């Protein structure tokens, strides 16, 4: 394996690889097969002995851990921002002298921008790098919260909530993309689980934070808190977290050429070297910031396997977001709790989500190794695996299935426990199981999405975000009507059975997904050959 600390010219020569290898982590030397020629009893965790080719990522373990830690804290921002606002709706309406229904309009516009913004951020991140996308998002978010904390009228609230959503909503797609940059498929589940814990804890803890802040410090304190959180995160990120986008820095061995892709420390070093007349190194030209193309996100939805995955993932998301959206109103109607007590009732849901996120990561990695051992596939933790010879769909979907059906049972039971108005321990225990199983299933499907579209993972997750938020907006608009017309028991029975009805999609993906994935890979190679042929013409 090449030493990443050798001189840049030699390093670039030894670590040269095609554009498609930079995107999906396939080994540059295709003559070296990842299929083990020995018996299936061989240890798949042993590093494949390869004669040449770059590591999938040159970042050290400690650097990876630091990157993942920072990304996990950033992923908390979007769900926190969406949910911390809920306990303050009535006091804001009272102080701004508008009706609660008018304040609810800010929720609708927030969700619209929550669907649209990641389509821009995802394309920007895949083209220009993760760092500029993160920096732009957090700067927008900080100034939006400053305005929200100081504003005193409804029009300003409405507009600034949209700006706040635009700043925060892209962070989830960026977080998953960074994991795809630095972690090979065999260990991706673990890192996805850590980031997923940050994402899933937001809906649970933020209503508690919002209730405490609104009750004791006033509702503007909610926005001051969000601003301070983002600013505290942004400083160490700007100073120390390196660029990871494989279209910009490859496996991390190619020095960033543009200032927005450099950490503050690297930027100071580059300026000092430039003053001394030293070469900055690097094998690529500077990245150009361009206006992102949201239609790149829509392309994901037209791939057969990705379209099915987006659809079923959206249904899974819809079920648990409808439960989260109606939990406070249903418990208030049954048990007559205060705002703070209702916020505390979200804690079991959040604990379940956190357990799911961390646990599913280790389960996914274990199942990946199990299937590799079964088919005689040698896992390459250094260069990454060639997934064209590996049933990644099966490796991800098998662990999701028991989670999913246990979650369906919990959803149906939850509806009838509310219907019969049992002791509060009943719905809270079931909410924990829903967070554990349904949210866990959704996180696993998100991991598969990144595996299937590794050349632009931020764009793929943005596509999921677009579809799920639009469906979520529609679902939250009709759920109250369903509860009144069908009752609690039959409403949640309906949504549980929807997941069962469409569950054959997972079987279809496991059976035909590898073929569709290979068709997409071959088509992409042909398109790249045509582009090279056109550009090489005199």
């Amino acid at each position: 394996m090449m030493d990443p600390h050798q001189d840049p010219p030699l390093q670039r020569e030894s670590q040269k690889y095609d554009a498609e290898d930079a995107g999906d982590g396939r080994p540059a030397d295709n003559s070296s097969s990842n299929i083990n020629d020995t018996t299936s009893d061989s240890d798949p965790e042993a590093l494949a002995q390869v004669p040449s080719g770059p590591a999938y990522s040159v970042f050290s373990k400690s650097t990876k851990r630091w990157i993942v830690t920072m990304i996990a804290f950033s992923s908390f921002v979007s769900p926190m921002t969406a949910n911390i606002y809920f306990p303050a709706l009535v006091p804001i309406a009272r102080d701004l002298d508008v009706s609660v229904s008018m304040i609810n309009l800010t929720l609708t516009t927030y969700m619209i921008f929550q669907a649209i913004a990641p389509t821009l951020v995802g394309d920007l991140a895949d083209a220009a790098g993760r760092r500029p996308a993160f920096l732009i998002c957090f700067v927008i978010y900080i100034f939006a919260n400053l305005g929200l904390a100081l504003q005193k009228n409804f029009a300003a609230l409405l507009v600034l909530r949209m700006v706040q959503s635009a700043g925060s909503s892209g962070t989830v797609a960026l977080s998953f993309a960074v994991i795809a940059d630095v972690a090979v498929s065999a260990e991706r589940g673990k890192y996805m689980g850590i980031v997923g814990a940050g994402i899933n804890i937001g809906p649970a803890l933020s209503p508690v934070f919002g209730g405490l802040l609104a009750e004791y410090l006033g509702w503007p304190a909610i926005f001051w808190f969000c601003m301070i959180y983002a600013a505290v995160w942004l400083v160490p990120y700007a100073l120390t977290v390196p660029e990871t986008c494989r279209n910009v820095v490859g496996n991390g061995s190619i020095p960033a050429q543009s200032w927005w892709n450099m950490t503050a420390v690297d930027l100071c070093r580059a300026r000092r070297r430039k003053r001394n007349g030293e070469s900055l190194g690097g094998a690529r030209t500077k990245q150009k910031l361009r206006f992102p193309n949201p239609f790149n996100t829509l392309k994901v939805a037209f791939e057969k396997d990705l379209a099915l995955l987006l659809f079923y993932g959206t249904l899974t998301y819809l079920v648990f977001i409808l439960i989260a959206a109606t939990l406070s109103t249903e418990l208030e109607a049954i048990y007559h709790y205060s705002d703070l007590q209702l916020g505390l009732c979200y804690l079991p849901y959040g604990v379940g989500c956190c357990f799911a996120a961390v646990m599913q990561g280790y389960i996914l990695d274990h199942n990946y190794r199990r299937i590799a051992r079964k088919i005689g596939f040698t896992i390459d933790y250094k260069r990454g695996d060639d997934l064209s010879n590996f049933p990644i769909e099966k490796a991800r979907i098998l662990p999701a299935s028991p989670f999913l059906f246990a979650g369906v049972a919990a959803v149906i039971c939850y509806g009838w426990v509310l219907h019969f108005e049992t002791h509060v321990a009943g719905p809270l225990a079931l909410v924990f199981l829903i967070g554990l199983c349904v949210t866990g299933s959704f996180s696993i499907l998100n991991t598969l999405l990144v595996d299937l579209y590794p050349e632009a993972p931020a764009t793929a997750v943005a596509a999921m975000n677009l579809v799920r938020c639009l469906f979520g907006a529609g679902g939250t608009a009709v759920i109250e009507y369903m509860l009144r017309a069908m009752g609690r028991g039959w409403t949640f029975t309906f949504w549980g059975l929807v997941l069962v009805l469409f569950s054959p999609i997972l079987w279809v993906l496991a059976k035909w997904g590898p073929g569709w994935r290979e068709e997409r890979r071959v088509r992409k190679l042909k398109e790249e050959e045509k582009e090279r042929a056109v550009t090489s013409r005199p």
Side-chain angles (χ1 to χ4, degrees), residues 306-354:
L306 297 175
L308 289 174
L309 185 58
L310 289 176
F311 177 71
Y312 199 77
T314 295
L315 289 180
T316 308
Y317 168 82
L318 188 57
V319 169
F320 76 76
I321 200 63
L322 291 179
I323 291 174
T326 57
L327 179 64
S328 61
T329 56
E330 293 305 308
L331 295 186
E332 195 279 332
I334 297 171
Y335 305 106
H336 309 292
Y337 285 159
S338 67
D339 290 340
L340 183 56
Q341 288 174 315
L342 292 173
L344 292 172
C345 288
Y346 281 86
L347 287 177
Y349 174 75
V351 172
C353 290
C354 290

Side-chain angles (χ1 to χ4, degrees), residues 4-290:
H5 301 293
Q6 63 184 277
D7 292 337
L10 295 176
Q11 181 182 11
R12 293 197 303 274
E13 183 64 27
S14 64
Q15 294 188 333
K16 189 184 297 180
Y17 53 101
D18 294 337
E20 60 266 26
D21 298 332
D24 63 9
R26 291 189 184 89
D29 182 7
N30 291 325
S31 65
S32 300
S33 173
N34 277 337
I35 300 296
N36 192 359
D37 295 329
T38 62
T39 65
S40 61
D41 293 331
S42 60
D43 183 6
E45 296 187 58
L47 298 180
Q49 299 300 315
V50 292
S52 63
Y56 184 84
S57 174
V58 300
F59 295 116
S60 66
K61 266 191 175 180
S62 59
T63 301
K64 280 185 183 180
R65 288 169 181 164
W66 173 242
I67 292 171
V68 172
T69 299
M70 290 297 294
I71 295 308
F73 278 102
S74 76
S75 67
F76 181 75
V77 168
S78 180
M80 174 190 72
T81 306
N83 292 272
I84 198 171
Y85 185 64
F86 292 156
L89 296 181
V90 173
I92 291 175
R94 182 175 59 249
D95 288 355
L96 299 184
D97 196 25
V98 295
S99 65
V100 174
S101 61
M102 289 288 288
I103 296 296
N104 284 339
L105 183 61
T106 66
L107 300 178
T108 303
T109 55
Y110 182 94
M111 292 192 73
I112 291 172
F113 271 74
Q114 193 177 31
I116 296 173
T119 65
L120 301 173
V121 174
D123 185 59
L124 172 66
D126 286 330
R130 315 302 183 208
R131 281 182 59 84
F134 266 120
L135 294 173
I136 290 171
C137 285
F138 271 83
V139 169
I140 291 173
Y141 182 74
I142 287 171
F143 281 101
N145 280 296
L146 177 62
L148 283 165
L150 298 175
Q151 56 79 29
K152 295 296 182 183
N153 65 79
F154 175 73
L157 176 70
L158 183 67
V159 172
L160 288 170
R161 274 287 285 178
M162 291 187 283
V163 177
Q164 184 193 43
S165 178
S168 66
S169 300
T171 57
V172 173
L174 293 176
S175 299
F176 282 122
V178 170
I179 299 304
D181 293 336
V182 301
V184 297
S185 298
E187 61 178 1
R188 192 168 291 163
K190 174 178 63 178
Y191 290 117
M192 286 285 196
I194 296 171
V195 172
I199 294 171
N200 293 324
I201 200 172
L205 292 185
S206 54
V208 180
F209 293 159
L212 289 170
L213 291 169
E215 184 168 344
Y216 295 108
L217 298 176
W219 59 263
I222 290 175
F223 303 115
W224 288 117
F225 173 81
C226 292
M227 186 190 77
I228 293 169
Y229 182 96
V232 169
W233 179 89
L234 187 60
V235 172
Y237 178 83
L239 290 173
T240 62
V241 178
E243 178 62 69
T244 62
C245 180
R246 302 182 72 82
N247 292 328
V248 178
V249 296
N251 63 356
S253 62
I254 300 173
Q257 299 296 297
S258 302
W259 65 265
W260 52 77
N261 296 122
M262 300 181 186
T263 65
V265 174
D266 290 338
L267 188 59
C268 292
R269 289 174 180 169
R271 288 180 175 175
R272 185 173 64 250
R273 293 175 65 185
K274 188 175 181 180
R275 285 197 304 268
N276 296 336
E278 299 176 25
S279 172
L280 296 180
R284 300 186 182 194
T285 59
K286 290 184 178 182
Q287 296 297 118
K288 293 183 179 180
L289 286 178
R290 58 170 175 79

